[in-house]
Amino acid sequence: MIKSKLSERDICTKYITPAISDAGWNENPHHFREEVYFTAGRIKVRGKLVSRGKGKRADYILYSKPNQPIAVIEAKDNTHSIGTGMQQGLEYAEILDLPFVYSSNGYGFVEHDKTTGKERELVLHEFPTPEELWNRLNISKGIEPEQEKIITQDYHYEAGGKTPRYYQRVAINRAVEAIIKAQNRILLVMATGTGKTYVAFQIIWRLWKARAKKRILYLADRNILIDQTVVNDFKPFGDKMTKIKKRQVDKSYEIYMALYQGVSGPEEWKNIYKQFSRDFFDLIIVDECHRGSAAEDSAWREILEYYSSATQIGMTATPRETKYISNIHYFGDPVYTYSLKQGIEDGFLAPYKVIRIGMDKDSGWRPEDGKEDKYGYEIPDQIYNIKDFDRNLVLEKRTERVAEKVSEFLKKTNRFDKTIIFCQNIDHAERMRKAIVNENNDEVEKNYKYVMRITGDNDEGKMELDNFITPESRYPVIATTSKLLSTGVDAQTCKLIVLDKSINSMTEFKQIIGRGTRINEEFNKYYFTIMDFRQATNNFAEPTFDGEPVQIYEPGEDDPIEPPDPLSSNGDVDDYVLINNSIQEIHELQRKLYVDDVEVFVEREQVQYYRDDGKLITESLKDFTKKKILKEYTSLDDFLRQWKASEKKNAIIEELMEQGILLYELQEEVGKDFDPFDLICHVAFDKPPLTRRERASNVKKKSYFTKYGDNARAVLDALLDKYADEGIKNLESMEILRIKPFDQFGSPVEIIKSFGGKERYLEAIKELENQIYEVAA
């Protein structure tokens, strides 16, 4: 057999698989898997069309145990050298956190040992056994036999249940490994929507099953976070788990779920955590640890310091790093970080569009002398701008314009897309609810829950929170809020996030954006839209938006410690804490003024676009497109030549879109009636465009059809009408012959026969395309 004639798959089947099987890597115990996709492929949005890019795929992944991979193999056919796949393998090993990498072309292997940094070449029969690789790894990490039992503890798995994604597995394994090395404070940073709770469950399960940790406390700051966790990810703990309620302690359980404000408080009698001995818990998980445990005088810190002998794991999407508050200072550097950017790139998180809308009064409004508000209070003479509105002064017409634009967007897309509108405060959220009602009174008439205010002070709204976040529940559709929905709420089908509040905290901004990042394919949720009325999306330009957390904790001896929430960075009350009546609402010292007779108009509306690499397009869409087109085609003649030579015009269109050219978005901006051909000629080469209907009409004026029979002419005429309505895409598919109006000309077979057979039919389509694009080209 001549190896050079074999495909890559043949090389795998005939040489690589037998070699690793002979070394003891058996497929039945799941020692290895072939052609393993470990990312889903980035979601690409083209207008209203959604597709996925290619996911990353390893040729082989080798496992010491299920969900504990140890090596990756990249294969190439025999026309490549033995080490050609090594660089790709090293990239995959870095992502998957694997210590051993192999490249093969069927003659042997090149091994890269990341524990030593060395490479060596092996013949096929020298491939290492599972025991050899495992022992080499343990020696390099200094793992003792008693520690090995914990590391090899199985994950929880139920038939048909979910298994960890690659990044979840890395996070779980890194945390467990840190614990066996006696690291008592651990930080995991994972973007919203990537399954932090599931990761926490698997960490606890493996440590609990191995009896390395026997009593575990899971702390959160929101009832809904605890309740979701108990009935979903933590359900397998069954009767071994309890939720601490009404400050009552029962020491007979092993897994405890608690709200930090439910076990502590300003009065000593509320500090029921002290009813447990200091060494009662040996593992504490702090969910959303950015909210409180970062500050030295917070309630969480008091609890954590009381149980100082326990291993403590902080989990967050947004580590809080300020001069006075630092997660990293307390927990240490993250043992693993999985960012929003990486989640979108991998296709596990939804990408987003941004629409920025500015009002004419946002840059400044000054009342005339003696101007009074609607209640007769005189308005102080000063310039009020976007930072003042809805905090100390209300322009009611502005709220109405926001509601108008949000409703206009939903009416153009889908009026039942779940929407969260973030407002400055509770009062603003109520006024926004009213304005949305008035813009959508037809839907509110059918069901008053079409729009609800969901804030911490309103029991009726809070009671609808579960319905809002449940994908199967139709109502509520629109939720107005201030802080309540900004963190921890799993709103899987939220497709529109509206920002009508000032956001000065990067932590809060990330958390709010995270409400839209979950994907739910069953309910057609692949991406979401952000409507920004407060310039909050300027935060996207900040280097810290999706970078590594940087510690800047540097208080001196006499420096004050900034109090944590409930007061946010912009001075507003975090209304979420009112859920548990932890604090009373803090009233503003200055009377809020309400102005109802000043008109407000939309001054500018800008849709922002993002490249395939996730970076914002900072130039105009036309300039961006022109630059990209001119990289592909040196001149108009070059483009026309390749367009005419292409068997399928759709192939060129798809290729351009793969290169990141936003043809659908360009069509929205330049004109929906223009073909991609005309868009390209117009934008890149300054040619005057023709509409599809104009091109179709020009073809019909010619004597082109006369050489065909009556039925064939009628078909071509109908195809031209289809082109005028829908574009070139459907013309190149024979499936079009199955739909109206073509069914009146006979079956697809009969239609093709009227052209003299399939070959003649395809020739006619090719000639029709040439006629369409020849005119005024």
Side-chain angles (χ1 to χ4, degrees), residues 291-328:
R291 295 222 62 87
S293 61
E296 290 187 5
D297 63 346
S298 72
W300 275 5
R301 282 289 287 272
E302 289 180 14
I303 298 170
L304 296 181
E305 286 169 1
Y306 180 82
Y307 299 119
S308 59
S309 63
T311 299
Q312 299 171 4
I313 302 177
M315 305 189 76
T316 181
T318 51
R320 195 166 184 184
E321 301 301 317
T322 69
K323 184 177 180 181
Y324 303 110
I325 297 177
S326 172
N327 288 120
I328 291 175

Side-chain angles (χ1 to χ4, degrees), residues 713-724:
R713 281 203 305 271
V715 171
L716 291 170
D717 193 64
L719 283 170
L720 267 177
D721 289 338
K722 269 290 183 189
Y723 163 78

Side-chain angles (χ1 to χ4, degrees), residues 324 555-561:
Y324 303 110
E557 284 187 11
D558 299 324
D559 282 346
I561 299 297

Side-chain angles (χ1 to χ4, degrees), residues 55 97 116 130 170 183 213 220 265 268 334 413 498 622 649-650 756 773:
D97 202 27
T116 64
V170 175
Q183 184 174 329
K213 303 294 179 185
E268 186 59 30
T413 52
V498 179
K622 289 182 180 180
K649 312 306 179 194
N650 272 318
Y773 295 113

Side-chain angles (χ1 to χ4, degrees), residues 200-219:
F201 163 71
Q202 290 287 9
I203 291 170
I204 295 170
W205 179 270
R206 290 177 62 198
L207 294 170
W208 181 62
K209 278 293 186 180
R211 306 313 288 163
K213 303 294 179 185
K214 295 173 182 152
R215 292 197 190 98
I216 295 97
L217 174 63
Y218 183 92
L219 278 174

